[in-house]
Amino acid sequence: QVQLVESGGGSVQAGVSLRLSCVASEYTDTLGCMGWFRQAPGKEREGVAVLDTGSGNTVYADSVEGRFTISQDNTKNTVYLQMNSLKPEDTATYYCAADPFPRRWYGGRWNACGFKYDYAFWGQGTQVTVSS
């Protein structure tokens, strides 16, 4: 069982930056796929950014493209989400997720690390609140 612990959330004004951290209990380079998801009150959970830890390939939600950056530091078993130019609509609980495999078979084909993965491990979440 892999433990994921998020930190770095907070209450900020629009336009500022935050960096979220997700520390894993296993070596992050053994976790094929890691990602950040978020859920706002009354809304479904949505994917924000995912990272194939082997290839370094990343996927971002359209709503955060160009503002958020996912990265990894394998020496610290940590994945980061750098969030710039925060907007009130970014307000949500942010969750870190990890899966051992960089690709999975579903929908009749192999799928690369992405938002639709059935991630094996999840963190408890960290709250981000952005006020205007």
Side-chain angles (χ1 to χ4, degrees):
Q1 185 75 8
V2 176
Q3 306 296 320
L4 302 172
V5 180
E6 304 100 331
S7 63
S11 296
V12 297
Q13 294 286 318
V16 303
S17 300
L18 279 177
R19 188 178 75 163
L20 305 183
S21 300
C22 172
V23 180
S25 60
E26 300 287 334
Y27 293 116
T28 47
D29 57 359
T30 68
L31 297 170
C33 186
M34 296 194 72
W36 287 95
F37 292 74
R38 66 187 182 186
Q39 187 167 19
K43 295 187 177 180
E44 292 187 355
R45 186 174 64 197
E46 63 176 355
V48 176
V50 296
L51 168 69
D52 181 323
T53 62
S55 68
N57 288 337
T58 57
V59 178
Y60 293 94
D62 290 343
S63 60
V64 306
E65 183 81 53
R67 298 189 298 123
F68 291 11
T69 303
I70 187 171
S71 62
Q72 62 185 47
D73 183 342
N74 291 336
T75 66
K76 299 180 179 179
N77 295 335
T78 300
V79 170
Y80 301 100
L81 184 68
Q82 177 67 43
M83 306 186 296
N84 298 331
S85 302
L86 282 162
K87 303 176 180 180
E89 51 264 42
D90 294 319
T91 294
T93 301
Y94 284 70
Y95 298 92
C96 178
D99 196 88
F101 304 105
R103 50 196 49 80
R104 283 185 174 273
W105 178 268
Y106 57 87
R109 63 184 178 91
W110 286 104
N111 295 267
C113 179
F115 294 143
K116 294 185 178 180
Y117 256 40
D118 184 14
Y119 286 80
F121 310 110
W122 290 85
Q124 294 298 306
T126 185
Q127 178 67 35
V128 173
T129 303
V130 185
S131 57
S132 58

